[in-house]
Amino acid sequence: MSNAAGSTPILMNRAGVCLAHFEAKPASPLDPPLVLIHGWTGDHRIFTPQIGYFAHSRHVVAVNLRGHGESDAPKQEYTIEGFADDVAWQCAELKLEKPLIIGHSLGGSVALELCGRHPDRVSGLVMIDSIVTPGSTLRESADVGRLLDEIAGPNYRAVLRRNALSMAVDYDDAARRESIHNIYIQPSCEKTPQHVAYSAMRNFIVNYDASLAVSRCKVPMAYISADVPLVNAARDLDWLQARCSQLIVAKTLLAGHFNTIEVADQVNAMLDRFLTVGLRRLATAGI
């Protein structure tokens, strides 16, 4: 974790469940603040370079979703809608004024759901290499069915490791890819309980439909993609673009799914540009 963000989680109690976040900010932060939402079986560490970079100028809050990281993991169903409600509650408790919501992977779907439910409370949305909504191709995929069965099985931690390594693709040399995995990915995979991992993935693939959130999400929006075959085949940006004319699409160069770490400078520059130009341009256009 970057020294700029500290290493101690801040815990807030929501109806008996402790939800954790990490935050950092300068003495006089610029608007808007940033809320960072990690993906499935992840935690705030996936945004370590972004926290370190933006904490010099803005209030940065990196959440740990319910069941992940330092947050409690009660026995329950884990859904995109539930995650979004938790993060909205955290934003309200922290009195964040119209934050920019940034989500990586599954966190992008949580961010989209949040912005669709509360478009008046946010300044904009950035999704980073997220599957926008699981369509029939993904739901009916034999590979995804096998993945769910394996996550429910006795060797699910080995499955999570294999899945994460495959999502990194092979743009970096093996030693760097392994180092990124061991520092930023594997610790959160090891910590995420099996019931959380299975419920969150199953409910996303089988039950989640982003249509309503998309229809309500009128805020400035950007999507930063990587180059991972599974996500490429399932993200369905054409569907999103047809419904959200304000969407801006960009792509990191020669990076796998964990591009926030792999090519942090590219991601930071895109986020910076969206903050300084994109939000204003889209707002001026009446978005």
Side-chain angles (χ1 to χ4, degrees):
M1 189 70 184
S2 166
N3 290 333
S7 57
T8 303
I10 300 168
L11 302 177
M12 298 191 297
N13 190 298
R14 186 184 187 204
V17 176
C18 284
L19 300 176
H21 70 274
F22 294 75
E23 65 179 306
K25 60 180 177 180
S28 300
L30 299 173
D31 290 327
L34 308 183
V35 173
L36 309 178
I37 308 175
H38 63 80
W40 179 66
T41 70
D43 66 12
H44 57 281
R45 275 170 282 204
I46 198 64
F47 289 112
T48 297
Q50 289 69 49
I51 296 169
Y53 179 81
F54 286 103
H56 296 291
S57 58
R58 298 178 189 274
H59 186 181
V60 181
V61 174
V63 303
N64 281 183
L65 294 173
R66 181 183 296 241
H68 296 73
E70 301 302 321
S71 291
D72 286 349
K75 294 282 188 178
Q76 61 167 84
E77 291 295 322
Y78 288 81
T79 67
I80 298 298
E81 297 88 344
F83 290 141
D85 283 346
D86 278 344
V87 179
W89 178 85
Q90 288 171 291
C91 290
E93 290 293 300
L94 292 169
K95 297 180 170 56
L96 298 180
E97 186 68 26
K98 286 195 171 262
L100 175 65
I101 311 296
I102 302 169
H104 174 259
S105 193
L106 188 78
S109 293
V110 176
L112 175 62
E113 182 68 26
L114 189 159
C115 292
R117 289 177 174 228
H118 307 286
D120 56 328
R121 295 194 207 170
V122 302
S123 65
L125 163 68
V126 179
M127 305 173 74
I128 302 177
D129 211 40
S130 304
I131 294 173
V132 176
T133 192
S136 59
T137 300
L138 188 64
R139 289 191 174 100
E140 297 166 9
S141 165
D143 289 340
V144 171
R146 281 192 293 271
L147 176 62
L148 284 173
D149 289 342
E150 290 174 339
I151 295 168
N155 299 316
Y156 86 99
R157 284 199 170 89
V159 174
L160 298 187
R161 176 179 175 81
R162 184 196 69 207
N163 183 69
L165 284 171
S166 71
M167 296 284 274
V169 200
D170 60 355
Y171 292 111
D172 282 312
D173 64 76
R176 183 171 190 258
R177 191 164 66 252
E178 183 78 10
S179 176
I180 288 172
H181 178 89
N182 290 340
I183 295 171
Y184 301 104
I185 314 302
Q186 188 63 22
S188 59
C189 288
E190 292 285 347
K191 192 176 180 66
T192 306
Q194 185 175 21
H195 70 276
V196 176
Y198 179 77
S199 178
M201 180 58 74
R202 184 182 183 281
N203 277 315
F204 175 65
I205 292 174
V206 175
N207 298 321
Y208 183 62
D209 183 350
S211 298
L212 183 58
V214 167
S215 70
R216 294 174 173 174
C217 191
K218 305 302 182 184
V219 298
M221 181 188 304
Y223 187 103
I224 301 173
S225 68
D227 200 358
V228 179
L230 173 63
V231 184
N232 286 343
R235 64 168 52 99
D236 210 349
L237 283 184
D238 290 341
W239 180 87
L240 183 61
Q241 187 85 71
R243 289 157 178 79
C244 297
S245 60
Q246 75 272 30
L247 176 66
I248 297 172
V249 178
K251 185 175 184 178
T252 49
L253 182 66
L254 298 175
H257 186 57
F258 306 109
N259 54 0
T260 56
I261 302 291
E262 294 173 44
V263 288
D265 288 350
Q266 291 183 42
V267 173
N268 290 348
M270 291 179 186
L271 293 175
D272 217 358
R273 187 67 173 172
F274 188 68
L275 280 161
T276 57
V277 177
L279 290 180
R280 183 183 70 248
R281 186 178 73 84
L282 292 170
T284 302
I287 301 301

